[in-house]
Structures are given as C-alpha cells and as structure tokens.
Amino acid sequence: MTRPPVGGGEMPGRIADVRWHAMSGFALVGVIAVIAGGLVAAATGPTGFTHGSWVAAYLVLVAGVSQVGLGVGQALLAAVPPSGRRRAWQLVVYNAANTAVLLGTLISSVAVVVAGGALLLLALALFLAAVRHPRTHSWHLAIYRLLLAILGVSVPVGIVLSALRQS
C-alpha cells in the first residue's frame, strides 16, 4: 500500500525524515551539553570548583536545552527546513559562542565573554531568520520566538554581570 503524496508530491515519511535530519545535529550536541552539565554539577562539590554551579547551569540551560529547542523548533516550524549549510553555520556559531562564554568566564576575561555574547547574538539572528516563513502561526511559534527573546535579553545581562564580577 502506498501513501498519498503531500504537497509537492512528497511522501509524509520523506517530510518527517527531512525534518528529523534538520534537527538531529542540534539535538545530539544539546543532549551532550546537558550530560556534561550534569557531570560538572556532580563534580563541583567534591572538587570545590568555584564556577561549577554556573558552568553546569550554563551547559544545561543555554548550550543544552536551548540548543535542542532552537534546532527542533526551526526544523518543525519553518515552511522549508533550513539547508545543511545554514544548519552547519548555526551549529558552529552557536557552539563557538557557548565555548567562548564558558572559557571567558573560567579565565576571567570579559573580552572573551563579550566576543562569545556577540557570536551568540549572531547565532540567534540565524535561528530567527530560519523561521522567517513559518508553516504555522501556532503557540509553538510563539514559544520559539520567546526562547529567542529570552536568550537575546540574557546576553547583555550576562556580559554586564561578567564585567561587574571582574571589577
């Protein structure tokens, strides 16, 4: 038995495969970040790692959960899932930003935190642009945009807090 075509002659399974492929890299890296955050949290107390709780929270919330939300959100919400090239840029920029913020915090360099923040804003702009033409205007889209807004507002707040901590 064959499935009926859906818009443009594509089979429903093919559409699901394309959307899954569009989110899988973000889901994988995000889950790894959540696990790493859990490991950092577990090691913080016994080792006396002073930035441990902040690093764990950042890994779980920003590098992990938010990355999964952004990757899955754009894959499901965009009328056409982002191209492989766009997704590669998003993955590289978003994770380079997170690495810079984490590194800058650990070495007490506000300049590195600022560079990471700037990269994070660039990554958020790439995610926002990817869903410029959504398939739906449901509450899912509102949540996706709210996640982008929360992250966008948290960048300057985090930079200011980093600068205050160093002064």
Side-chain angles (χ1 to χ4, degrees):
M1 179 189 265
T2 61
R3 293 183 265 184
V6 174
E10 293 187 53
M11 303 298 248
R14 172 73 180 120
I15 293 169
D17 290 346
V18 167
R19 293 197 185 275
W20 167 249
H21 185 69
M23 69 177 81
S24 61
F26 301 99
L28 176 64
V29 176
V31 167
I32 290 170
V34 169
I35 293 168
L39 293 173
V40 169
T44 293
T47 63
F49 181 29
T50 55
H51 292 297
S53 62
W54 181 88
V55 168
Y58 190 92
L59 283 168
V60 169
L61 297 173
V62 180
V65 174
S66 294
Q67 181 162 200
V68 170
L70 293 170
V72 169
Q74 75 175 0
L76 296 177
L77 293 168
V80 176
S83 69
R85 175 175 275 184
R86 176 180 288 268
R87 291 191 318 267
W89 274 107
Q90 289 170 320
L91 268 169
V92 167
V93 173
Y94 192 81
N95 289 293
N98 290 325
T99 301
V101 169
L102 287 163
L103 178 64
T105 300
L106 293 174
I107 66 171
S108 300
S109 172
V110 176
V112 176
V113 172
V114 169
L119 281 175
L120 190 53
L121 290 174
L122 173 61
L124 296 177
L126 291 171
F127 281 108
L128 180 63
V131 186
R132 182 177 40 233
H133 303 291
R135 320 189 299 162
T136 178
H137 287 279
S138 68
W139 61 273
H140 299 100
L141 181 60
I143 290 173
Y144 179 81
R145 289 178 175 164
L146 179 62
L147 175 59
L148 285 166
I150 290 169
L151 289 169
V153 167
S154 72
V155 170
V157 170
I159 289 170
V160 168
L161 291 174
S162 177
L164 290 173
R165 206 174 24 246
Q166 298 309 311
S167 55

